Amino acid sequence: MTDSALHAPAETEHAPRARFWHDLSFWGLLPSRLLMGFALILPIFIIAAVSLATRGAHGGFAWDLNLAGYRQILFNEGWTGELEFTPQYLLIIGRTFLLAGATTVICLLFAVPVAYFISRQPPGRKAALVYLVTLPFWVSMILRVYAWMIILGKDGTLPRLLETLGFPAGMSFMFNDGATLTAMVYTAMPLMVLPVFASIEKLDGTLIEASHDLYGDRWVTLRRVILPLTAPGLTAGAILVFVPSLGAVLEPTLMGGGKQMMMGSLIQLQFGGGRNWPFGAAIAMTLMALVMIFLIVTSLRAARREVAP
Amino acid sequence: MKTYLAATALALCFATGAQAAGELNIYAWAESISPALIEKFSRENDVKVNVDSFTSNEDLLTKLQAGSSGYDIATPSQHFLRVMIDEGLIENFEASKLKAFENIEEKWRNQWWDEEQAYSIPLAYGTAGFVVNTAEYKGPTDSFRYFFEPDGELKGKIAMLSYPDEVIGAAQLYLGVPFCSEDQAEMKKVLDLLMAQKPSVAAYSSDNIASRLASGEVSAHFWWDGDSLKARKAGSPVSLAMTKEGLVGWMDSLVIPKGAPNRDNAVKFIEFLSTQENATDQMNFYAHSSPMKVIQEKVVYTRDEAPELYPEVPITFSRTCSATAQDLVTRVWTQLLQ
């Protein structure tokens, strides 16, 4: 206020230009605003609305307010015909979080050394290595999962290799949680490596030297200097891996043999065979709420870390 | 300037017009309609044909329910066709007045899923049961007992489909529970059977069945008759089990989704696929039985060549379930995979 009052004469002079820039930023950003609105925010409101609607007999829904979709997550008609507490969907939600969590932790453990290694290379090789990390993105995700089926399946690359090393023939590593996790870690890895690399890259080498000068050994340096300074990258990577992993459908179905449902396949079943769209939408909204809580907690913790010494 | 623009616009019109007189968008089961026939239709009528595929009736139904799919032809199975008529998802194109209708075998006309034969012309029919890899499994296959209650060889070597539809039907045939049962106690029995089978199941998957079975990754797979036939003809050691409890039957029909953008071409295509000659070619490609009159001398998959298509055991067609019955099916499936 005082600022503009001080420069009052100048303002009239510069007003058209300022308005031009203001207009440009408004109209220039309009496409991205529209894209966000129509492609991201509107669909979420549609799903939220469907989750509160009444299901049709054979799929679809009617616009009558109904909370049955949310109730069904916890309470269902039992085999005796009475409404009872059913933990099955909580089990599925829990399993999904466990698997996504495991994927994130494994990705972190692999990504930190890889990123550190890349960041210590000469510039030319560094660029080439970063390019190599992103290479899998050029291949369709379903092909990448099929590649793992060929590697781990019967008569696959790994069983054949083990056979020549003297292990019994005809082994298969498919259709279990290990196979699911392998494919999930593989598909998510670049999403972890890149942000971690970006933060390690910016790490000032003199700070590590300083730590050693102050008699900090390698472990102390890692814990007190490197990790806190790279925390933003680690957090970004963890979010980028954890959140999409929650919705994984391909890997559990193809690699795990679809023997245990994940939230992704549960939602798919409700829109398909189950023909219960509002329930499917309610699970989707629940998944989203849980993800939001996770993100809020992470960002609050990150904020606290910045404040604390 | 204006003339220039108008000329361009005119040229554009002619350019697209020269490409094809029209379009036809087909949504059918994966690899179900002969590409050679599509090519022929496209050439004869100067129509650009696009084919997308689905691997389950549920996917098709969901897509049509979501609206404006843009498809002109779809091929649902009988129990889903009934739902689509009831929900107003497909066009009444007065199929019984077409030449194609005359070409349907009498016994397949006016079935319960389309009594007036107004919405559909049948395309193919067949059965679903379990198929074994005969190089891996030498035991008996004349009952669903060996599939649902396996001991020995088949333990851990079984695969089911990823959808409950026909799998639950087979379990019901085995247990003597009627299709679409609304009886909780009966459906609990189905769940108990599938739960007891689960430790022996390697995968619940509808993708990649042929290679999974042929490689010996699994020894028994729930599958369709024609697919099993095709795999056997290609040299895989597979055999469809003729189970005394019967097989689950299905029939796919050509329908026109509501609001199809190229309805005339769709009708043309249905007539085209239903002539004796083309129906024969289609059957020889798809390797499933044809409900149309075909030229017998030209049929490749005869009784001798393809016993899979001519089962001696009873066939029970899947029914359209009430919402209550459907919920029980979903509940069984969710508890099975929880």
Side-chain angles (χ1 to χ4, degrees):
Chain A
M1 193 67 159
T2 44
D3 202 44
S4 65
L6 264 171
H7 297 93
E11 196 196 70
T12 41
E13 202 172 297
H14 288 291
R17 187 181 286 175
R19 193 173 309 131
F20 170 77
W21 285 114
H22 178 264
D23 283 3
L24 185 72
S25 71
F26 177 79
W27 292 108
L29 286 175
L30 195 64
S32 73
R33 290 205 181 123
L34 287 177
L35 190 71
M36 291 279 276
F38 282 100
L40 281 167
I41 297 169
L42 189 70
I44 290 172
F45 277 105
I46 293 175
I47 297 174
V50 171
S51 75
L52 295 170
T54 303
R55 62 182 293 204
H58 297 287
F61 55 89
W63 290 119
D64 297 316
L65 184 71
N66 197 329
L67 290 172
Y70 288 95
R71 195 199 61 204
Q72 205 180 335
I73 295 172
L74 291 178
F75 299 97
N76 281 277
E77 206 181 318
W79 289 106
T80 48
E82 279 169 26
L83 203 65
E84 56 186 38
F85 174 70
T86 32
Q88 59 186 18
Y89 300 118
L90 293 181
L91 267 171
I92 294 171
I93 293 171
R95 179 184 306 127
T96 311
F97 272 82
L98 204 67
L99 202 70
T103 308
T104 314
V105 171
I106 297 174
C107 276
L108 259 179
L109 290 179
F110 278 104
V112 173
V114 169
Y116 195 85
F117 173 76
I118 297 177
S119 69
R120 291 294 169 262
Q121 300 301 312
R125 196 185 292 166
K126 203 188 287 185
L129 287 173
V130 170
Y131 173 72
L132 279 180
V133 168
T134 59
L135 207 56
F137 283 133
W138 294 75
V139 179
S140 134
M141 168 145 162
I142 194 156
L143 280 181
R144 280 182 273 159
V145 177
Y146 265 81
W148 274 105
M149 291 170 72
I150 293 168
I151 294 172
L152 297 183
K154 200 182 173 206
D155 291 332
T157 320
L158 185 63
R160 284 259 173 96
L161 185 72
L162 289 175
E163 204 183 312
T164 53
L165 294 175
F167 286 90
M171 279 200 289
S172 168
F173 300 96
M174 290 288 293
F175 308 136
N176 51 54
D177 291 345
T180 310
L181 207 55
T182 307
M184 285 179 70
V185 167
Y186 175 75
T187 39
M189 189 61 85
L191 295 174
M192 182 67 94
V193 173
L194 294 177
V196 173
F197 166 74
S199 66
I200 291 185
E201 163 99 293
K202 274 185 282 179
L203 190 62
D204 190 348
T206 52
L207 290 174
I208 298 174
E209 263 174 52
S211 165
H212 288 307
D213 289 346
L214 294 168
Y215 299 102
D217 58 18
R218 280 157 177 269
W219 171 241
V220 171
T221 309
L222 178 72
R223 206 164 50 87
R224 302 287 293 272
V225 179
I226 299 178
L227 281 184
L229 285 174
T230 54
L234 299 183
T235 316
I239 290 171
L240 280 178
V241 169
F242 184 76
V243 174
S245 295
L246 285 177
V249 177
L250 268 183
E251 296 94 340
T253 332
L254 292 176
M255 302 293 293
K259 276 180 285 191
Q260 287 180 320
M261 271 190 210
M262 296 290 152
M263 277 178 99
S265 37
L266 180 65
I267 294 170
Q268 197 186 15
L269 176 69
Q270 297 312 322
F271 280 92
R275 299 180 216 168
N276 193 345
W277 291 20
F279 180 46
I283 308 167
M285 291 306 290
T286 310
L287 177 63
M288 210 170 68
L290 291 172
V291 169
M292 291 298 280
I293 291 171
F294 167 78
L295 289 179
I296 291 169
V297 169
T298 335
S299 56
L300 280 182
R301 281 186 53 186
R304 196 179 306 139
R305 208 180 290 130
E306 271 165 30
V307 174
Chain B
M1 187 66 191
K2 229 173 216 167
T3 16
Y4 177 71
L5 272 177
T8 318
L10 213 65
L12 270 172
C13 287
F14 280 121
T16 45
Q19 245 172 14
E23 269 194 276
L24 182 69
N25 301 309
I26 300 176
Y27 197 40
W29 289 91
E31 287 160 51
S32 63
I33 297 179
S34 157
L37 284 174
I38 286 178
E39 172 75 43
K40 190 174 156 195
F41 177 79
S42 177
R43 212 169 344 103
E44 282 178 8
N45 297 284
D46 194 20
V47 164
K48 187 175 181 294
V49 183
N50 308 306
V51 185
D52 283 347
S53 59
F54 56 86
T55 52
S56 76
N57 277 305
E58 286 84 355
D59 288 348
L60 169 61
L61 178 66
T62 308
K63 200 148 214 171
L64 294 192
Q65 274 169 334
S68 40
S69 62
Y71 292 116
D72 305 305
I73 292 272
T75 58
S77 302
Q78 76 285 354
H79 45 317
F80 281 77
L81 206 168
R82 182 77 239 177
V83 171
M84 289 172 193
I85 296 176
D86 293 346
E87 301 271 296
L89 297 173
I90 52 179
E91 295 266 355
N92 176 346
F93 61 97
E94 298 186 312
S96 59
K97 292 189 181 149
L98 301 182
K99 277 204 218 79
F101 179 77
E102 306 297 323
N103 235 357
I104 308 175
E105 290 270 12
E106 271 91 30
K107 65 168 177 174
W108 293 120
R109 287 179 192 172
N110 304 91
Q111 295 291 319
W112 59 262
W113 49 87
D114 186 8
E115 292 104 339
E116 308 287 325
Q117 203 79 51
Y119 295 87
S120 66
I121 292 290
L123 174 68
Y125 70 96
T127 58
F130 73 96
V131 176
V132 295
N133 180 325
T134 49
E136 303 276 330
Y137 175 73
K138 312 277 184 209
T141 58
D142 61 337
S143 165
F144 271 122
R145 183 157 69 87
Y146 308 109
F147 188 67
F148 285 120
E149 297 178 296
D151 48 314
E153 276 184 273
L154 280 182
K155 262 208 154 91
K157 302 289 267 176
I158 288 177
M160 306 276 273
L161 298 182
S162 62
Y163 269 109
D165 194 9
E166 278 144 341
V167 176
I168 298 259
Q172 287 169 325
L173 282 183
Y174 174 55
L175 292 173
V177 170
F179 284 1
C180 296
S181 168
E182 294 185 10
D183 183 332
Q184 304 225 357
E186 282 183 337
M187 290 308 285
K188 180 76 169 56
K189 273 200 286 182
V190 172
L191 173 65
D192 292 341
L193 179 74
L194 294 175
M195 283 301 272
Q197 183 210 23
K198 192 177 177 185
S200 303
V201 176
Y204 295 84
S205 171
S206 303
D207 302 296
N208 223 15
I209 297 176
S211 77
R212 195 178 303 124
L213 190 58
S215 71
E217 184 100 54
V218 298
S219 310
H221 212 305
F222 200 90
W223 213 10
W224 292 278
D225 54 348
D227 296 90
S228 161
L229 165 64
K230 256 189 178 171
R232 184 170 63 78
K233 291 286 179 194
S236 300
V238 296
S239 158
L240 174 67
M242 289 296 168
T243 42
K244 60 175 185 261
E245 295 89 359
L247 292 166
V248 183
W250 55 266
M251 177 175 284
D252 296 339
S253 300
L254 297 158
V255 302
I256 303 178
K258 263 263 155 71
N262 308 292
R263 195 188 140 128
D264 294 345
N265 283 339
V267 174
K268 235 187 246 176
F269 185 71
I270 291 173
E271 289 279 35
F272 171 82
L273 264 193
S274 306
T275 63
Q276 280 208 14
E277 197 195 334
N278 290 342
T280 315
D281 286 352
Q282 166 63 17
M283 179 184 172
N284 289 343
F285 167 80
Y286 196 21
H288 283 289
S289 305
S290 175
M292 310 303 286
K293 290 174 184 155
V294 291
I295 305 166
Q296 290 301 332
E297 306 81 63
K298 284 198 185 169
V299 170
V300 175
Y301 300 112
T302 57
R303 190 174 285 269
D304 291 336
E305 280 293 305
E308 288 93 341
L309 303 190
Y310 305 87
E312 309 273 320
V313 296
I315 298 173
T316 318
F317 277 79
S318 298
R319 313 241 1 137
T320 307
C321 296
S322 65
T324 317
Q326 194 60 44
D327 275 358
L328 284 175
V329 169
T330 309
R331 199 199 301 178
V332 166
W333 201 249
T334 314
Q335 291 206 1
L336 177 66
L337 302 179
Q338 75 178 19

